[in-house]
Amino acid sequence: MKKRQRGLILALAPFVLMVLAFQVVPVFSMLTGSFRHADGAGFTLGNYQHALSSAYYLQAIKNSLLISVFSSLIGLAVGLVCAYCITRFAPAVRDRLLMLSNMTSNFAGVPLAFAYIILLGNNGVFTLLFKQWGWNVFDGFNLYSWSGLILVYVYFQIPLALLLLYPAFYGIREQWREAAALLGAGSWQFWRTVGLPVLSPAIFGTLGILFANAMGAYATAYALVGGNYNLLAVRIGSLVAGDVVTQPQMGSTLAVLLALSTLLAVFLNQRMVQRMEGLGGRNSAGRERSSGLLRRRWPAVREEAGQ
Amino acid sequence: MNTRKAGIAPRTFMLLLMIYLLLPLLATGLYAFAQDWQNTLLPRSWTLGWFRGMFQDIRFLEALWNSLYLCVISVLLSLAVMLPAVFVITVYFPRWESFMKGVVVLPYAVPGVVAAVGLIRAYSSGPFDISGTAYLLVGAYFVVILPYMYQGIRNSLLSVSAVELLNAAELLGARRRSAFINVILPNIWPGVMVSALLSFSVLFGEFVLTNMLVGGHIQTIQVYLFRRVGESGHLASAIAISYFVFILLLSAVLMKLGMKIKGQAK
């Protein structure tokens, strides 16, 4: 019996070791770092005090929050409309549409920022073309600024929102609509009193994931504006591995703040998923949602995991 | 919702969405083949020169090689560590499952920048000074693909009813280790392959950790792309498009595999 036990523990040891070394120790080190003085000794709350009072860091936090909220809300709105539209198509067309949006969700980070530079940058194809044609729709537009960042963020939020939301629409039964119609409810009234309340956990859960996704996005912003735009993720990057002066303690502090916000958002998503499941009868929709992040990447995995 | 025929509004919306989603891809593709594209709707002349330039660039080939071996090593390491661990937890210690799930899902909620901060702080001094080395990156990659590997292996184990299989094998006199290697592994292999390929492609597209942890020392394809954007737009588009086509091919393989598994399960 002893020997059996030893074999099992031996099989688990490498896993425990790897998780300890590359997940637990770094998190611990980041936490302690955020409570250290700049010279690396002693315990202090000063870093947090500084982060939450310095105009510069506050602006980074505010910019990140704003861009995350805006891009999530836009992504959510477009995702909702499109997810509803997708349910109106025949299954074959629907699968193809989902596959296409899935495909584009692999197009993120550096290549995405790069594509937008080609399209709308200073010497972008459309920028030059519109100038040539005398159109001035893009006169006030600058890709390397707030509006450009929003545009690019929305691009990677929409497919994610769509893929997370569309299963929830299958929870709404055609019979409910018929019943509502029989009772004299119009289409608008049905959605307001039945449809949206049923969808609401999925909507709030998706919002959480989108928010976390935008808060943590680094590659896209970094490739687009470098260190020029004051975002929390970009700021952390330059504090820790910067070209100028590295301030690992301050970087750790901001990183803890960022992690808190994304953890909170993902927690919201988990709670909402549980509520979806708790509603009963729509378990399939809830299950589909629960590991939505994993399945967003490929339909193959979605099918495989859905068994 | 069993409507089969889509109305005019859904059609319009989906068409707009597809144009919006595919336009950046299309533009990058055109740019990669364009020789002269200044002020016309479509390029005036075409060339394969950018792709030729890409394959003649020794730094590109180096970056490709770096990406490939780092991703392969990380996925193999993850397989070697995760297969026995998930098996033991699922079969012998199901009570620990929720704990393991928590550990494994954490990388979802923690953005790459945050993970990089911790890793840099923990390993840039002291007894384990491995900053800027492939060891650190492989460790970081291991954590990135934890959720994919765990979910894939666990699902495969559950869908082949590993516990029953194992009991049957042990009843027939097989030792546990040989039961695992000869009975369980062959059965879960297709599902495990899917997770491994998925993990591979996730790592292939990784930029944040790579750039922050080893960007100055080891250039992967994403880091290389980032460095080249400022130099030649055409060349960078050629690289971006090649990368994207590669990922598409990989996902096609994944889909085929996934369908095959589904077919077997039925």
Side-chain angles (χ1 to χ4, degrees):
Chain A
M1 207 56 203
K2 264 268 161 66
K3 214 178 156 202
R4 274 181 74 96
Q5 216 68 340
R6 207 178 301 150
L8 294 181
I9 287 170
L10 213 65
L12 278 175
F15 170 75
V16 175
L17 214 73
M18 286 299 281
V19 166
L20 272 180
F22 294 105
Q23 197 166 5
V24 178
V25 168
V27 167
F28 184 74
S29 166
M30 181 179 75
L31 277 175
T32 55
S34 71
F35 292 109
R36 287 265 163 82
H37 283 290
D39 56 13
F43 173 88
T44 176
L45 285 172
N47 293 326
Y48 287 93
Q49 208 174 6
H50 184 53
L52 296 173
S53 60
S54 137
Y56 187 52
Y57 294 137
L58 273 181
Q59 191 202 27
I61 295 171
K62 195 182 115 198
N63 283 343
S64 272
L65 286 176
L66 275 179
I67 202 167
S68 303
V69 168
F70 270 103
S71 67
S72 310
L73 286 178
I74 297 171
L76 187 76
V78 177
L80 266 176
V81 172
C82 292
Y84 170 74
C85 290
I86 267 190
T87 63
R88 315 301 296 171
F89 284 91
V93 185
R94 190 184 66 212
D95 289 349
R96 208 153 298 154
L97 288 171
L98 285 172
M99 206 182 80
L100 274 173
S101 26
N102 228 321
M103 196 178 99
T104 52
S105 71
N106 289 312
F107 195 59
V110 182
L112 175 66
F114 177 64
Y116 268 90
I117 293 173
I118 294 176
L119 282 175
L120 297 168
N122 283 337
N123 293 309
V125 174
F126 282 124
T127 317
L128 293 180
L129 210 58
F130 287 167
K131 205 180 275 169
Q132 185 88 3
W133 290 346
W135 290 6
N136 48 11
V137 265
F138 285 124
D139 263 5
F141 179 82
N142 175 9
L143 183 66
Y144 313 100
S145 72
W146 168 256
S147 43
L149 276 174
I150 284 273
L151 197 71
V152 181
Y153 272 52
V154 165
Y155 181 90
F156 66 69
Q157 297 278 43
I158 287 178
L160 180 55
L162 176 61
L163 294 171
L164 288 175
L165 282 172
Y166 94 95
F169 276 93
Y170 286 93
I172 295 173
R173 302 270 154 76
E174 194 62 28
Q175 292 94 304
W176 300 355
R177 279 156 74 90
E178 285 160 10
L182 279 178
L183 292 170
S187 173
W188 167 241
Q189 207 176 0
F190 168 78
W191 281 109
R192 194 167 52 86
T193 54
V194 182
L196 278 180
V198 167
L199 286 179
S200 63
I203 293 177
F204 283 111
T206 304
L207 196 62
I209 293 287
L210 293 181
F211 178 82
N213 194 36
M215 279 303 277
Y218 171 84
T220 316
Y222 186 60
L224 196 60
V225 294
N228 295 330
Y229 199 78
N230 199 5
L231 285 174
L232 193 51
V234 172
R235 199 49 52 222
I236 294 169
S238 63
L239 277 173
V240 177
D243 324 304
V244 202
V245 186
T246 58
Q247 286 177 274
Q249 273 73 20
M250 207 57 221
S252 302
T253 310
L254 294 184
V256 171
L257 292 175
L258 176 60
L260 283 179
S261 76
T262 55
L263 283 172
L264 198 72
V266 172
F267 178 70
L268 169 87
N269 172 61
Q270 290 296 322
R271 288 296 297 272
M272 289 300 168
V273 169
Q274 278 162 16
R275 243 180 83 184
M276 276 300 268
E277 276 164 0
L279 282 171
R282 282 193 315 288
N283 271 339
S284 60
R287 232 187 357 253
E288 184 82 22
R289 288 272 298 99
S290 60
S291 46
L293 254 188
L294 171 66
R295 293 167 200 184
R296 80 173 213 244
R297 295 196 71 101
W298 272 299
V301 180
R302 209 174 310 129
E303 280 163 18
E304 195 244 337
Q307 285 175 3
Chain B
M1 298 216 169
N2 294 319
T3 322
R4 286 288 170 263
K5 187 94 180 122
I8 186 86
R11 278 162 188 272
T12 320
F13 275 121
M14 290 319 286
L15 187 69
L16 285 177
L17 177 75
M18 287 303 140
I19 292 176
Y20 172 73
L21 288 180
L22 294 178
L23 201 58
L25 262 173
L26 203 69
T28 316
L30 286 180
Y31 208 65
F33 289 104
Q35 186 151 41
D36 179 28
W37 195 6
Q38 291 300 328
N39 42 31
T40 45
L41 187 58
L42 284 174
R44 229 179 280 158
S45 52
W46 308 88
T47 174
L48 283 171
W50 311 114
F51 285 91
R52 206 176 310 127
M54 179 178 90
F55 283 114
Q56 278 165 359
D57 186 352
I58 194 84
R59 285 177 299 167
F60 165 75
L61 295 175
E62 230 166 73
L64 187 65
W65 169 243
N66 283 340
S67 273
L68 282 176
Y69 89 76
L70 283 170
C71 296
V72 168
I73 287 179
S74 306
V75 171
L76 287 181
L77 175 77
S78 181
L79 275 177
V81 172
M82 293 299 283
L83 270 173
V86 179
F87 173 73
V88 166
I89 292 273
T90 313
V91 176
Y92 297 100
F93 303 109
R95 264 180 308 158
W96 292 5
E97 241 185 352
S98 60
F99 176 73
M100 181 145 178
K101 213 176 249 174
V103 169
V104 147
V105 170
L106 208 63
Y108 273 158
V110 178
V113 216
V114 175
V117 170
L119 285 163
I120 289 174
R121 249 195 73 84
Y123 293 109
S124 58
S125 61
F128 301 103
D129 188 0
I130 50 171
S131 64
T133 65
Y135 298 106
L136 183 58
L137 194 65
V138 168
Y141 278 2
F142 173 84
V143 172
V144 170
I145 57 175
L146 263 182
Y148 304 95
M149 294 302 273
Y150 171 74
Q151 198 88 345
I153 296 173
R154 187 174 164 275
N155 281 339
S156 310
L157 281 174
L158 292 183
S159 71
V160 301
S161 323
V163 180
E164 282 86 346
L165 265 182
L166 200 71
N167 284 341
E170 285 190 12
L171 205 67
L172 293 170
R175 304 267 306 254
R176 190 166 47 200
R177 184 201 292 258
S178 65
F180 174 66
I181 291 173
N182 295 322
V183 179
I184 305 287
L185 265 188
N187 273 297
I188 60 172
W189 201 241
V192 172
M193 271 304 287
V194 171
S195 339
L197 280 176
L198 176 64
S199 307
F200 177 83
S201 67
V202 168
L203 292 182
F204 208 74
E206 218 290 327
F207 171 75
V208 187
L209 283 167
T210 321
N211 192 44
M212 284 180 72
L213 294 178
V214 299
H217 306 274
I218 308 169
Q219 289 209 359
T220 63
I221 208 79
Q222 293 278 329
V223 177
Y224 174 80
L225 184 61
F226 174 74
R227 300 265 152 97
R228 292 314 291 270
V229 166
E231 295 171 35
S232 160
H234 289 290
L235 187 65
S237 338
I239 299 166
I241 283 301
S242 314
Y243 158 76
F244 194 70
V245 169
F246 176 70
I247 291 290
L248 274 191
L249 285 178
L250 205 62
S251 67
V253 173
L254 267 174
M255 206 129 73
K256 273 266 152 58
L257 264 177
M259 255 147 34
K260 221 169 130 190
I261 295 169
K262 228 186 155 190
Q264 275 173 1
K266 268 175 190 166

